[in-house]
Amino acid sequence: MLNGVPTGPSNKGRPTPSRAEQEAARKRPLVPDTKEAKARAKADLAAQREKARIGMANGDQRYLPARDQGAQRKFVRDWVDAGWHLGEAVMPAMVLVILATFLPIAALQYYAFVGLWIFIFFVIGDMVITSITVKRAVRKKFGEGKVEKGLGWYAAMRTVQMRFLRLPKPQVKRGQKPA
């Protein structure tokens, strides 16, 4: 003992820190927020997103959203992509009707709208026929009791999208039979 202070193995040689000092010492970021770390994290995230986008566009099952996963969905996508459908022309037809409304000829504007509505009814008919035939094709390929719900709607919605805008991208050429 030296001047009333014990000496030996239990002596730490410094005063006990206050509670405020202990809490301040614990409050530090786990990962340093440096500009380089943020830039590196942003670049890594961008690379992962690009990889996922490319994987999804190519139809890689790991990157597909839940609505597009599965063998039956792939078959439906290929079946729809193999054919021609009226729905692909809806957007161009609407653009033509919009352009026709700028012309000062009332009869042309009227018949453009009527023609568009008639075309839309044909598109709806094509969607219904596609839905029925794709369900029949899935039943034939995968068996009667193993058909997923919503395949008809999935096929019908894919027919309305223009081919070059579809995701996942078409894996078959037009006229090619799906596997």
Side-chain angles (χ1 to χ4, degrees):
M1 192 177 275
L2 190 68
N3 292 338
V5 178
T7 58
S10 65
N11 186 7
K12 60 184 177 192
R14 58 182 167 76
T16 302
S18 69
R19 183 180 199 144
E21 290 172 342
Q22 288 177 347
E23 288 177 358
R26 281 196 307 258
K27 288 185 181 178
R28 62 173 190 246
L30 296 175
V31 179
D33 276 341
T34 62
K35 287 184 181 180
E36 299 85 27
K38 285 182 181 179
R40 192 170 37 255
K42 190 175 180 181
D44 290 344
L45 185 61
Q48 288 175 348
R49 283 187 180 152
E50 181 65 15
K51 184 178 176 184
R53 186 190 66 77
I54 291 170
M56 183 180 158
N58 292 333
D60 188 351
Q61 290 290 333
R62 293 174 293 171
Y63 299 108
L64 291 178
R67 71 162 196 269
D68 293 326
Q69 290 180 352
Q72 292 183 11
R73 299 286 172 139
K74 179 173 181 7
F75 176 77
V76 169
R77 282 195 304 272
D78 291 346
W79 194 92
V80 169
D81 294 339
W84 289 89
H85 300 281
L86 292 175
E88 297 176 45
V90 168
M91 291 301 264
M94 288 182 175
V95 169
L96 289 176
V97 170
I98 290 171
L99 292 176
T101 60
F102 288 120
L103 299 175
I105 305 167
L108 179 69
Q109 294 173 357
Y110 174 77
Y111 288 117
F113 275 112
V114 170
L116 179 65
W117 277 105
I118 291 170
F119 181 69
I120 287 175
F121 286 126
F122 278 111
V123 168
I124 291 170
D126 181 47
M127 290 170 67
V128 169
I129 291 168
T130 299
S131 175
I132 292 168
T133 55
V134 81
K135 285 189 229 175
R136 191 176 299 146
V138 169
R139 274 192 218 102
K140 184 178 176 185
K141 180 175 172 87
F142 292 98
E144 191 67 36
K146 298 180 175 121
V147 178
E148 293 178 21
K149 288 195 175 280
L151 290 179
W153 182 255
Y154 183 72
M157 289 297 101
R158 193 156 173 98
T159 63
V160 178
Q161 299 169 349
M162 289 188 275
R163 186 176 169 92
F164 67 93
L165 293 176
R166 293 177 184 163
L167 278 178
K169 296 285 183 197
Q171 304 293 314
V172 296
K173 294 183 175 155
R174 291 195 197 265
Q176 179 182 350
K177 291 278 186 181

